[in-house]
Amino acid sequence: MAVPLFVLGNEHNRRYPQRKLLENLSEFEIRKHTGLPWWGVRELLQWLEPLVEPKGFTNHALTAESKVLTALGFFRSGGFQWLMGSNGGLSQSTTSRIIEQVSKALVRESPKIISFPNAAEQTRISTAIHVKSQFANIIGIIDGSHVNLISPSQDERSFVNRKQNHSINVQLICDDKFRFIDAVARNPGGAHDSFVFRNSHIYHRFLTGEFGNGKLMGDSGYFRSPFMEVPYARRVITPLQRDYNKRLTSARCAIECTIGRWKSRFRSMHRSGGELCYAPRKVCQLIIATLTLHNFCHTTNIELLPEDDDVFDQIVREIQQEN
């Protein structure tokens, strides 16, 4: 999908493109190309401007506003950079540099935005989940989610997932309020969810008893342990175990909805956006960048747009079918 972005044609008396400012864009344009309302983009700009503003201003310097709008347009669409650039007056190389600069700034900020809750917040989460599902001591809900990419030039087979697509397997943990509290984006799509978990930092934190009686809740892709609740196999199941599975499935809706919100707002992360035409390292960078944006939107109460509801429903259905 092409993304015409925020740049007017050249003025006759200048050699460089005259960029549109946010105030010159209609609400429709902003919502269509960023997935955010006008005031939401303004909130993001206030946060990101100090991180990406050029150190020196020249006739050819791109403002922080232009950079953020361009990156948001890419995260939203998953469109090809050269097509975006040609429609927006930016070269492919310039667009690529903008997206990388903004992504790196977001990755640097990610530890502040995606962080495991403190003891008081863990208590709040476990209480909320217990009230809903009667599971005790659950402080996070875990799942894996795939982001497609083009076939890598090295170790290609390890990136092939069970659907025969090339992807990154992203491990995600959320709380009860649709906020990501931990994310691992470095494993190829062929890696099993349980393997990703065993090799993650959060696993070793649970293993050493850092979270006391705290537990995670996962699907059948994970293994049962003192700090992981998973469903019982359906081959031979008692009525009590069937009730357990039903309550667990209900509670796990939180992670499905959180992933759905992330991917429907930033559609480059969903397979309907096509394959990301980058090397795995850069795709992992883009994943963390958009997860950070998701949490920022959550913290500042930037809701999903009504026009994203159908995409959200589709993504959640796909997750439920896979699980």
Side-chain angles (χ1 to χ4, degrees), residues 82-134:
W82 70 267
L83 202 53
M84 292 171 55
S86 64
N87 285 340
L90 302 175
S91 67
Q92 188 276 340
S93 59
T94 300
T95 305
S96 180
R97 286 195 298 271
I98 289 171
I99 293 169
E100 182 159 15
Q101 183 185 6
V102 175
S103 297
K104 283 183 175 179
L106 288 166
V107 171
R108 288 194 300 270
E109 292 293 299
S110 62
K112 305 175 189 175
I113 308 296
I114 306 172
S115 59
F116 213 79
N118 58 29
E121 183 64 7
Q122 289 172 33
T123 300
R124 187 204 64 76
I125 294 169
S126 64
T127 300
I129 292 176
H130 182 264
V131 168
K132 178 180 179 181
S133 64
Q134 300 304 302

Side-chain angles (χ1 to χ4, degrees), residues 9 57 66 154 201 251 257 321:
F57 288 93
S66 295
Q154 297 181 344
H201 180 58
C257 290
Q321 290 168 2

Side-chain angles (χ1 to χ4, degrees), residues 143 221 225 242 298:
D143 202 0
S225 75
R242 187 177 296 109
H298 176 274

Side-chain angles (χ1 to χ4, degrees), residues 150-166:
I150 59 170
S151 175
S153 57
Q154 297 181 344
D155 198 19
E156 177 266 341
R157 287 301 306 167
S158 69
F159 288 88
V160 178
N161 60 33
R162 63 176 180 263
K163 294 192 173 182
Q164 300 305 303
N165 298 317
H166 295 89

Side-chain angles (χ1 to χ4, degrees), residues 33-95:
H33 297 305
T34 70
L36 304 172
W38 186 93
W39 69 268
V41 176
R42 175 56 65 193
E43 290 285 335
L44 274 174
L45 284 171
Q46 289 176 355
W47 173 42
L48 292 175
E49 188 170 21
L51 305 176
V52 298
E53 190 70 34
K55 295 179 180 179
F57 288 93
T58 67
N59 282 350
H60 296 276
L62 283 167
T63 65
E65 189 175 47
S66 295
K67 293 176 181 178
V68 171
L69 289 170
T70 299
L72 285 175
F74 174 75
F75 296 149
R76 172 67 168 175
S77 71
F80 293 102
Q81 283 187 30
W82 70 267
L83 202 53
M84 292 171 55
S86 64
N87 285 340
L90 302 175
S91 67
Q92 188 276 340
S93 59
T94 300
T95 305

Side-chain angles (χ1 to χ4, degrees), residues 259-260 263-264 270 311-319:
I259 294 172
K263 288 191 172 184
S264 55
H270 186 233
V311 179
F312 170 81
D313 291 340
Q314 174 194 346
I315 293 171
V316 171
R317 282 196 301 271
E318 290 173 356
I319 296 170

